[in-house]
Amino acid sequence: QGVYDIIFRASPQSAREFAEAFDAAIRSLKDTAHTWDAKKGEKRYFINDYRVSLIYRMRGEVVTIGAVAHQRRRPGYWKDRDF
C-alpha cells in the first residue's frame, strides 16, 4: 500500500499536500541528486513534513527511485529491489 493512499484515507487534503511536497522533492532531486547522503549505493532524499524518504540510485545522470519509504517502516525493506 502506498504512502499517498494511507494519507488519503486519513485526509484527502493532506494527501494533496503530500502530492505537492512529493512533486517538489522530485523537482529538487533533478538538480541536487548527487549531493545527498550515499549509503551502500542508494541515496535518500527526505520529505521531512511527512517522515518519508525517497530511496534512489544514480547511474550517470539518471536517477531511479526504488522506494518511497515512510521512516517508521522496517529499514532496508527495499534492498532486494533491482533499481
Side-chain angles (χ1 to χ4, degrees):
Q1 198 168 21
V3 173
Y4 178 86
D5 296 329
I6 293 167
I7 295 170
F8 186 85
R9 277 200 316 271
S11 167
Q13 177 61 34
S14 292
R16 284 189 289 278
E17 292 168 3
F18 170 75
E20 290 171 8
F22 181 84
D23 289 345
I26 296 298
R27 286 192 302 275
S28 179
L29 252 180
K30 288 180 184 178
D31 297 326
T32 63
H34 62 281
T35 62
W36 298 100
D37 177 41
K39 181 179 181 180
K40 298 182 183 176
E42 71 255 357
K43 296 184 177 195
R44 301 161 193 259
Y45 183 99
F46 296 100
I47 305 175
N48 289 322
D49 290 344
Y50 294 92
R51 297 177 58 194
V52 168
S53 301
L54 304 181
I55 311 299
Y56 68 96
R57 290 190 176 138
M58 293 194 62
R59 291 189 177 105
E61 294 297 314
V62 177
V63 175
T64 303
I65 297 173
V68 179
H70 192 277
Q71 294 168 9
R72 280 188 155 185
R73 199 145 176 206
R74 179 177 48 86
Y77 74 89
W78 63 86
K79 298 259 185 217
D80 293 335
R81 295 181 183 179
D82 184 25
F83 68 98

